[in-house]
Amino acid sequence: MLRPQDGPTRERKKLDGLWRFALDPGGTGRGDGWWREPLPDAREVAVPASYNDLFADAAVRDHVGDAWYQTDVVVPRGWAGQRVVLRFDAATHRAVVWVDDVEVAAHEGGYTPFEADVTTHVRPGRQVRITVVVDNRLTWQSIPPGVVTDGRQTYFHDFFNYAGLHRSVWLYSTPLAHIDDLTVVPGLEGTTGTVGYRIGTSGGGEVRAVLLDAGGTEVARSDGAEGVLTVEEVHPWRPGEGYLYDLRAELTDGNEVIDSYRLPVGIRTVEVRGAQFLINGEPFRFTGFGKHEDIPVRGKGHDDAWLVHDGALMEWIGANSFRTAHYPHAEEVLDYADRHGIVVIDEAAAVGQNMKLAAVVMGTQYETFSPETIDERSREAHAQAVRELIARDKNHPSVVLWSIANEPESDSDAAVDYFEPLFALTRGLDPTRPVASANMMFAPHGRDRLQALGDVVMLNRYYGWYAFPGDLDGAERALQAELEAWAGEGKPIVVSEFGADAMPGVRSVTPQPWSEEYQAEFLAMYHRVFDRIDAVVGEHVWSFADFATSAAIGRVDGNRKGVFTRDRRPKAAAFLLRSRWRKLG
Ligand code: BDP
């Protein structure tokens, strides 16, 4: 799905700012038609932002159910004769949208965009009322799953269930005949680069693609909706250097350009060969983090200032990559990664699909996969989440690996039955990138059945924290033994999580869990083990920064495994990582 953009044939209007907002604890708004009028007893809310932390009000923070957003917007008068589209970059976890009195869109899934052609419901120069109801309930059929009992939400993942309009809202125009999709597949052969392309259109016309280098000089062109652009003396996109070409897709009628769409394109290849992960044919070692979208006040709302700051901290610490744990991050984040040469493992919002883990952590008694819990319908929602993830992110050079789930149950026939088709679907949708899922410790080597389905082994390990707490020697032996066993599989291993909680300011001369020193020693121990095992090609610390979670006795104002605090101050471990990763280069 193409992002809105400004250009010679297109315009966009960002609808971010203060909207009217009302909670609907009784769930009466849909029946009473709240979209028909200004919302009753509305307060002001910021868009984009999670609504949860904006007010000093537990009823808002812990709200379960519908929340209503509303704004008025004047459609630019210059858009007469154009197609007008209303787009939400994200509404968490599902939404229905009205323009004035007309329902125009409904969408399931909190982290991928959706849009509606509203041309026939608006008039350029006139004001319309936009109303959105956002439902934050997680169920067995949602991705991620959850259970609502007596109005209380429980879920099985370790981050707070922030909700609302987390990303920008746009009104944009396109010509009636327009470009509606674009797919690029980059290739490299010596000093020659190729960009296979496919341009989807709605409405007639001729199609062509023109490729410019970063300086604006044309380097290749091709007529037709599909083709290959060849670039001699190519300047590849590579980790650490986000060199981007500029692809212009054009829909023409004779000499007239009816529609034109620009896409930044990085020319790079990705390949798993034996136990190596190759980018542009060269072995790549992932250094970095599992990273949440999580900031004070805004929650999961996207914020460019924090994007730039986090990018600066990634550079400062020498990280070359991160995983979008545990859901697709804002598209601005991937654009930034493209431009800065940051490598991304892009994860679907499938987390918490592990009732064996939930039984231990939360004391719940469910079967993971069953007709009463995660079932066929859940898998279809999961498949749709994968489709939308790939449709959105397929053209980002920064994305080198799809992660289709985090720590699902992975040691049962039911897990294999559930996941086999999802791996196949992902590969079918994108044969150019490897696919993986992150394994949880309860299904170690020998028990796990899902890593065999993936191209890269992704392991989340907490030896020295949840296992062997305070015993780094015992933890080191256990970690070494398990990683050696995995190395025998002959695939590259990315340790996609390893980390210890640390309360900033808790210092200790002996290795005491929760101290900054213990967190640093814990990481140093993992580094020693990684350096003894060639198949380990990636180390992603959990986590980049402290983040909000639901209430739990093992969580002190959230999860404290951040190498940075929630407001991005370094803990002692940050300096250890900086000295290691800057050397690894
Ligand atoms: C793993 C999860 C991650 C948690 C982490 C932890 O993948 O989301 O936050 O453990 O417990 O199980 O800190």
Side-chain angles (χ1 to χ4, degrees):
M1 182 191 275
L2 296 179
R3 295 191 73 190
Q5 67 177 217
D6 291 313
T9 59
R10 291 166 172 251
E11 253 179 88
R12 56 188 183 159
K13 181 168 176 163
K14 212 181 223 188
L15 307 188
D16 298 0
L18 295 176
W19 289 42
R20 297 189 290 278
F21 177 75
L23 293 181
D24 185 4
T28 56
R30 296 183 198 231
D32 292 348
W34 280 11
W35 60 89
R36 292 201 189 94
E37 287 172 36
L39 290 177
D41 305 320
R43 26 182 157 191
E44 286 183 309
V45 77
V47 174
S50 304
Y51 56 74
N52 309 76
D53 287 348
L54 296 181
F55 308 97
D57 187 347
V60 181
R61 181 167 161 91
D62 300 328
H63 177 68
V64 178
D66 285 344
W68 292 74
Y69 285 76
Q70 195 176 61
T71 193
D72 302 311
V73 55
V74 175
V75 180
R77 67 195 167 93
W79 291 4
Q82 302 291 299
R83 175 174 162 266
V84 181
V85 183
L86 176 61
R87 170 177 163 123
F88 292 81
D89 284 353
T92 313
H93 294 283
R94 69 187 62 77
V96 180
V97 182
W98 292 263
V99 168
D100 289 332
D101 287 352
V102 183
E103 181 183 322
V104 295
H107 182 257
E108 172 76 26
Y111 305 95
T112 43
F114 60 98
E115 59 182 32
D117 181 335
V118 297
T119 316
T120 56
H121 310 303
V122 301
R123 272 208 274 160
R126 293 283 184 82
Q127 178 172 299
V128 289
R129 186 177 60 250
I130 296 173
T131 310
V132 190
V133 61
V134 180
D135 177 4
N136 69 349
R137 277 171 294 190
L138 296 172
T139 70
W140 290 115
Q141 275 69 52
S142 64
I143 301 292
V147 178
V148 179
T149 328
D150 299 331
R152 266 192 88 79
Q153 175 83 65
T154 45
Y155 41 92
F156 314 104
H157 53 269
D158 182 36
F159 57 92
F160 188 75
N161 187 34
Y162 280 117
L165 296 180
H166 282 154
R167 299 173 190 160
S168 289
V169 184
W170 307 88
L171 203 56
Y172 71 94
S173 73
T174 75
L176 297 179
H178 60 276
I179 295 167
D180 64 9
D181 196 19
L182 203 49
T183 308
V184 293
V185 175
L188 277 174
E189 203 56 68
T191 57
T192 304
T194 52
V195 179
Y197 73 88
R198 196 170 59 240
I199 302 169
T201 55
S202 174
E206 300 293 305
V207 180
R208 67 175 174 234
V210 181
L211 193 70
L212 311 176
D213 67 16
T217 304
E218 182 178 319
V219 293
R221 74 163 54 215
S222 168
D223 287 329
E226 272 184 60
V228 178
L229 299 154
T230 303
V231 188
E232 304 297 344
E233 298 305 324
V234 65
H235 191 148
W237 186 98
R238 58 168 69 95
E241 194 205 359
Y243 186 92
L244 295 172
Y245 288 87
D246 175 16
L247 178 75
R248 295 196 184 168
E250 291 179 336
L251 178 64
T252 60
D253 181 7
N255 285 335
E256 192 199 345
V257 175
I258 304 172
D259 192 15
S260 135
Y261 193 89
R262 296 173 60 161
L263 182 76
V265 172
I267 302 182
R268 59 101 186 92
T269 60
V270 177
E271 190 191 337
V272 170
R273 195 188 298 155
Q276 291 189 319
F277 194 98
L278 307 178
I279 298 183
N280 302 343
E282 288 167 22
F284 177 68
R285 186 182 183 90
F286 297 78
T287 59
F289 302 95
K291 198 171 181 300
H292 268 297
E293 293 189 305
D294 178 276
I295 50 176
V297 184
R298 249 186 219 271
K300 292 205 175 307
H302 175 73
D303 183 305
D304 279 340
W306 288 83
L307 167 71
V308 170
H309 189 54
D310 284 2
L313 293 177
M314 291 275 290
E315 192 184 341
W316 173 84
I317 207 164
N320 62 18
S321 56
F322 68 96
R323 176 170 61 123
T324 68
H326 294 307
Y327 37 79
H329 287 195
E331 286 169 88
E332 288 85 346
V333 176
L334 294 179
D335 288 343
Y336 183 95
D338 289 345
R339 289 192 301 272
H340 293 261
I342 300 169
V343 172
V344 176
I345 300 175
D346 205 359
E347 189 157 273
V351 53
Q353 298 173 311
N354 192 334
M355 295 310 123
K356 293 176 180 166
L357 174 59
V360 173
V361 177
M362 304 166 65
T364 50
Q365 297 294 327
Y366 297 111
E367 251 184 82
T368 305
F369 303 103
S370 79
E372 287 74 46
T373 55
I374 297 178
D375 64 5
E376 287 292 317
R377 289 168 300 162
S378 326
R379 185 170 61 190
E380 180 42 38
H382 196 154
Q384 185 59 17
V386 168
R387 283 183 207 110
E388 293 185 21
L389 170 70
I390 294 177
R392 194 195 74 159
D393 292 348
K394 62 187 173 183
N395 294 325
H396 287 284
S398 55
V399 174
V400 301
L401 176 61
W402 303 115
S403 166
I404 62 170
N406 180 69
E407 298 194 345
E409 177 180 307
S410 65
D411 58 354
S412 58
D413 288 344
V416 175
D417 290 347
Y418 178 92
F419 274 102
E420 241 168 11
L422 293 174
F423 275 94
L425 173 77
T426 311
R427 290 201 177 92
L429 291 168
D430 180 10
T432 74
R433 290 180 180 86
V435 188
S437 65
N439 162 281
M440 195 262 152
M441 254 176 113
F442 288 175
H445 186 263
R447 258 190 94 84
D448 171 86
R449 313 253 315 267
L450 292 186
Q451 293 305 309
L453 304 178
D455 301 304
V456 173
V457 171
M458 291 211 316
L459 305 175
N460 297 353
R461 287 299 177 268
Y462 289 92
Y463 294 111
W465 190 255
Y466 296 120
F468 301 93
D471 173 12
L472 290 179
D473 292 337
E476 182 162 354
R477 284 191 293 275
L479 177 66
Q480 171 93 25
E482 203 201 341
L483 289 183
E484 275 172 4
W486 280 109
E489 300 295 322
K491 291 181 184 177
I493 300 170
V494 173
V495 179
S496 38
E497 287 185 23
F498 61 109
D501 288 82
M503 283 302 282
V506 174
R507 313 301 301 264
S508 176
V509 291
T510 58
Q512 296 306 314
W514 291 94
S515 68
E516 291 193 41
E517 282 72 17
Y518 187 80
Q519 184 186 38
E521 285 184 37
F522 172 107
L523 298 180
M525 179 275 277
Y526 275 70
H527 297 156
R528 282 197 297 278
V529 177
F530 296 161
D531 292 345
R532 295 194 287 256
I533 297 174
D534 290 343
V536 173
V537 301
E539 45 188 80
H540 276 178
V541 175
W542 190 256
S543 177
F544 176 75
D546 293 345
F547 57 90
T549 63
S550 57
I553 52 160
R555 296 288 175 261
V556 186
D557 192 28
N559 185 310
R560 298 305 196 126
K561 294 190 188 69
V563 167
F564 297 95
T565 60
R566 201 177 188 214
D567 64 354
R568 276 43 172 183
R569 288 166 188 264
K571 300 182 191 170
F575 299 92
L576 172 99
L577 291 171
R578 184 170 193 257
S579 92
R580 172 177 171 84
W581 288 345
R582 291 179 80 98
K583 262 186 243 131
L584 286 177

